[in-house]
Amino acid sequence: MGHVQRRLASTTAKLASSLSVAHLQKFPPKELLSVKGQEIPKSTINPEAWASLQPPPSTALSAFAHRIGLASVLTSTEITQQVCTHPSFVQLVQQHKPHDPAPVTNGQLAAIGNSLMGLFATEYVRATYPYLPTRVMKAAVTAHVGPLPCANVAQEMGATPLLRWHRSRGTLLKSGVLHSDALASIPRALTALVYNQRSLPSARKFVHSYFLSREVDLRGMIKFLDPKKALLEMVKKFVFNSSSRLLKETGRYSNTPVFVVGIFSGEDQLGEGFGSSLKMAEFRAAEDALLRVYLTRTPPHLVQFPSETFPVGLGDVFTKAPEGEYKAPQLVESEIMYASSGNSFTRSA
Amino acid sequence: MLGRQLPSFTRFLARTYAPKWPRPKPGTAERPPYRAPDPLINNPSATVTNLPDEELTFIHRPPPTAPSPISYTTNPVSPLLKDPTPSTSSALPPLTRPSTESSYPRLTTEQIAEIRRLRSVNPVKWTRGVLAKKFNCSQQFVALVAATKKSTRRQLIRNRDVEHEKNREQWSEKRRLVVAISQKRRQYW
């Protein structure tokens, strides 16, 4: 979805969501009216801005807390309100209501939650797919807990009418705030809240149930520049040979030939691919051979995470309770250096 | 071929699709139309499961070249993650490129020194291909043994690209189109 479509969707969502005035004693409030007898009204306020400043009803906040199953953590509506308030909202309040106290925002919580989610997603992807190349692992982590999935999960939870934020354009010093950025802060803040009020294993359980149970297609994320070269390197690592053999063919001199080529190491078939030319079939066979290794996953009952050593319960993690059981898996062969962007993200000493 | 009109009373008896007559001429390359075997009937790799409770028969016919099945670390699909099977004398499918299996004789140190000398003296005249032919080794071996300096290599590649660009400008529109199509197809590999 492009920027324009997203903006249209957020504007319509804003207009469509009904504004509750149950928290007001009198409607319409004085600030919207012009005082009788005075030619110039007391304070001019844009109706849309006024609407965006109004808090969501406490019933909606309480319903949200129960809907996502965190009623015991989000004990009061103030905490839920804090979770649903993006830091960009402060500017809006100070602009229109400078005498009101600044609202409590989810900025800090979102930062902690983001780090925690990254931790859980990384250990999950690494434990599940031990042979995955680093760049694909990073893409998988983004697909699980990146800004877009966070915003989607927030929408699925039903946090859109509860979100309080303010759109801003990007400047040289500060980046802009879009609707999806503001929405993404809500699940992150929830993760941090669960971590603060309960424990790390509970926060991990929350992230697993909402984010790491989502289906992510890894096959589409793995693209090859030269799969034959990459396969040669991998095969050398495992001390194997590689030779391509023609398994089946049809229509060689016709308009539509089909070749099925297999890449063999001695008698073992490493990969198979088809194509309309021998080169294409070999290319696909090399891709298949690499994908068979990369997409090898640990069976779900054998997956273990390093963060399982953290004990359940509040308090000092080192002294409160004995650490959980964790048996480190055997290290597998490291990834090949070809097309891996090498040391580009590390600082040289 | 279908110019003749059948009388109305025989039209529902005769078939006009894939006609059996006229027969292919003997002694020519004409062949009767190819009738592919129906993959639904007599498929050797089909697994048939009877479900008597629902009075159904479940038939699974895997595609001819199935994509890689799910691979687990406890039972990996790739032979790279398992021990290599000991070689038996069973016949393997033919190699796609049989010529690459040729083994070259080992070169002496004098020959290697001569390769290096010629390549450094005039890399444009003594190219990898020419040297490989002269000394009966592979081009990759020449590149390994007598690699040119990176600056020289870059200059040679630049010269080659300029020459290729000049040639490409002389192409006809049709050739340009054909090449563009094949490049686009390459993207979909």
Side-chain angles (χ1 to χ4, degrees), chain A residues 282-311:
Chain A
E282 223 180 354
F283 186 98
R284 287 205 174 163
E287 278 186 333
D288 182 44
L290 288 164
L291 282 172
R292 282 187 193 194
V293 174
Y294 289 160
L295 296 176
T296 302
R297 58 179 304 180
T298 328
H301 65 279
L302 292 176
V303 164
Q304 273 204 302
F305 308 118
S307 63
E308 278 170 11
T309 53
F310 278 77

Side-chain angles (χ1 to χ4, degrees), chain A residues 44-58:
Chain A
T44 46
I45 188 160
N46 184 21
E48 275 97 30
W50 181 86
S52 60
L53 283 168
Q54 300 314 303
S58 57

Side-chain angles (χ1 to χ4, degrees), chain B residues 52-120:
Chain B
D53 297 334
E54 289 107 61
E55 289 166 15
L56 289 170
T57 312
F58 185 68
I59 308 172
H60 178 248
R61 295 186 192 89
T65 42
S68 314
I70 298 167
S71 168
Y72 285 107
T73 46
T74 44
N75 183 21
V77 142
S78 175
L80 291 171
L81 307 176
K82 296 189 273 207
D83 297 319
T85 54
S87 58
T88 55
S89 53
S90 62
L92 289 172
L95 288 165
T96 340
R97 276 187 249 98
S99 56
T100 53
E101 278 263 309
S102 60
S103 53
Y104 295 99
R106 209 182 160 85
L107 293 182
T108 59
T109 33
E110 291 89 32
Q111 284 176 307
I112 291 172
E114 181 65 12
I115 290 176
R116 286 206 179 112
R117 191 188 67 85
L118 289 171
R119 191 103 174 96
S120 60

